[in-house]
Amino acid sequence: MLADIAHRLGFDQTTFKQLIDMVLNQSHFAAGQPSTEAALDDAYKALGVTKDHTDQEIKRAYRKLISQYHPDKLIGQGLPEDMIALASEKAKEIQLAHDLIERHRKI
């Protein structure tokens, strides 16, 4: 059903899969920061990038996601408290994924 909705909104199948991967893999970091090889793969997916992307591209993807979920920005947009709390969790998960990639790449 989500794929159908995404198609109607103009997303191609590849973009839809990437968005689903990002959301699912961001949730892997909610409980803390694992350090296995699988966790590193999940971290790349959580940011919507791959190991082949440059450090600059990874940083750009991270900043874009953090900007979307930053609580202060969303408060300024007048979103309700429950949405702010959800965005804060997402921002934390994105941060943990990025930290893992940085440590692995020694950025």
Side-chain angles (χ1 to χ4, degrees):
M1 180 163 55
L2 289 176
D4 184 47
I5 292 169
H7 178 72
R8 290 177 189 209
L9 291 173
F11 291 97
D12 62 45
Q13 188 174 6
T14 303
T15 303
F16 173 71
K17 183 178 177 351
Q18 182 183 21
L19 290 171
I20 293 296
D21 282 347
M22 285 173 57
V23 170
L24 293 175
N25 287 291
Q26 287 169 6
S27 67
H28 292 174
F29 294 91
Q33 190 159 346
S35 59
T36 65
E37 187 65 30
L40 184 59
D41 290 339
D42 289 346
Y44 283 107
K45 289 178 185 175
L47 297 183
V49 295
T50 67
K51 292 177 183 179
D52 298 329
H53 282 89
T54 66
D55 293 345
Q56 191 67 17
E57 290 169 323
I58 290 169
K59 189 175 192 176
R60 191 175 316 122
Y62 161 74
R63 286 184 173 173
K64 181 179 177 184
L65 286 171
I66 283 296
S67 176
Q68 287 176 325
Y69 291 104
H70 197 281
D72 292 340
K73 184 175 183 178
L74 299 177
I75 288 170
Q77 294 175 357
L79 289 179
E81 284 295 317
D82 57 340
M83 294 297 289
I84 302 298
L86 182 62
S88 295
E89 274 303 308
K90 281 290 191 193
K92 179 181 172 187
E93 294 163 7
I94 292 164
Q95 180 67 53
L96 290 170
H98 184 255
D99 289 348
L100 180 61
I101 292 170
E102 279 189 324
R103 277 200 317 275
H104 181 262
R105 288 183 169 223
K106 296 176 178 50
I107 299 175

